[in-house]
Amino acid sequence: MSSAHPFISYQTQHFSKAESLERSRDFYHYANQRRTVRDFSDQAVEREVIENILLTASTAPSGAHKQPWTFCVVSDLALKKQIREAAEKEEYESYHGRMSTEWLSDLAPLGTDWHKPFLEIAPYLIVVFRKAYDFGADQKQHKNYYVNESVGIACGILLAAIHQAGLVALTHTPSPMNFLQKILNRPENERPFLLVPVGYPAVDAQVPDLQRKGLDEIAVFY
Ligand code: IYR
């Protein structure tokens, strides 16, 4: 990539007011059907679907357009098993002492515990890494900017793309999760950010009957 970006003209597609309203409403209704799923099927997913999802995530805006992310895609069974075992070891400790009683009671309605079978069952684990800096061709360190914001936005778009493909995901954050850097043999400038199992829901999958906040609870218009 050249360091200077030439400017090119850009306009959005034009919609009438009615079309714009309908499209915004339709997209909201579609997005509102997305649920975090913990019961996965082992049904295979086409690799090309995953590739398109990752390319979509990588359209996210990022500080100085550095795109400070790496998506590691794990389908290898032995590697998934290794990740499950390491995650469960940490999660066991978290659920048995590291997490506060307030935290545990906040989580109780979601029915989570230290068992993470989805890490082996889901056909793909997308492990998102944040890059605090990059190594240039000169092997020197080059700074990245607003890395958490950039990678967080990319993960949001990733989840939307997964939903759009008719797949489900879980935003899993084993803590601490530096074991992912070791197992996946990532360079020192990459730190694990989020672990996203992707696939189809199990036939008997269930989700908690959660309600989302209304507009008056999430927004203030000035
Ligand atoms: N990382 C743990 C605990 C957990 C924490 C929050 I905050 C959640 O919304 C869900 C789970 C786990 O994955 O079980």
Side-chain angles (χ1 to χ4, degrees):
M1 200 193 301
S2 76
S3 53
H5 304 290
F7 277 71
I8 52 172
S9 346
Y10 175 76
Q11 288 297 320
T12 54
Q13 214 177 318
H14 179 78
F15 299 120
S16 69
K17 280 183 189 164
E19 281 172 321
S20 191
L21 182 60
E22 189 182 346
R23 289 175 66 94
S24 65
R25 192 185 287 130
D26 287 350
F27 190 64
Y28 160 52
H29 287 153
Y30 188 65
N32 200 26
Q33 288 167 20
R34 187 201 55 77
R35 294 300 311 265
T36 289
V37 167
R38 292 186 165 79
D39 304 324
F40 281 82
S41 153
D42 63 0
Q43 191 187 332
V45 171
E46 284 286 308
R47 180 178 156 141
E48 199 177 344
V49 173
I50 300 295
E51 290 174 357
N52 289 333
I53 285 166
L54 298 178
L55 287 168
T56 305
S58 201
T59 66
S62 59
H65 188 53
K66 297 288 187 179
Q67 299 182 265
W69 42 69
T70 301
F71 301 97
C72 293
V73 182
V74 183
S75 57
D76 180 79
L77 294 177
L79 216 43
K80 287 197 293 183
K81 186 168 191 282
Q82 218 183 324
I83 290 173
R84 176 185 178 177
E85 283 169 2
E88 286 186 334
K89 200 163 160 240
E90 295 296 355
E91 292 293 271
Y92 183 90
E93 294 303 326
S94 296
Y95 280 88
H96 293 86
R98 280 194 211 146
M99 287 152 81
S100 66
T101 45
E102 182 183 7
W103 192 349
L104 290 171
S105 78
D106 278 342
L107 281 182
L110 303 182
T112 61
D113 63 24
W114 65 273
H115 296 96
K116 305 296 172 193
F118 50 76
L119 293 174
E120 276 188 274
I121 298 170
Y124 288 103
L125 306 179
I126 299 177
V127 189
V128 185
F129 286 84
R130 67 189 289 286
K131 297 161 88 175
Y133 57 92
D134 264 301
F135 289 111
D138 51 6
Q139 288 310 309
K140 285 202 190 118
Q141 292 186 13
H142 295 266
K143 226 183 119 34
N144 290 329
Y145 309 93
Y146 299 102
V147 172
N148 284 335
E149 292 84 347
S150 304
V151 181
I153 296 167
C155 286
I157 298 179
L158 178 80
L159 296 176
I162 290 167
H163 181 53
Q164 170 70 13
L167 301 171
V168 294
L170 164 63
T171 43
H172 181 43
T173 50
S175 174
M177 58 176 164
N178 44 350
F179 65 86
L180 291 165
Q181 193 179 7
K182 290 194 196 99
I183 293 176
L184 298 174
N185 203 19
R186 300 313 302 162
E188 67 180 49
N189 61 324
E190 294 187 10
R191 295 293 150 87
F193 185 82
L194 193 62
L195 204 178
V196 187
V198 182
Y200 292 97
V203 279
D204 58 351
Q206 292 200 322
V207 296
D209 187 17
L210 304 178
Q211 302 304 314
R212 293 189 163 115
K213 289 180 178 175
L215 192 60
D216 57 343
E217 295 170 284
I218 61 156
V220 183
F221 290 80
Y222 292 92

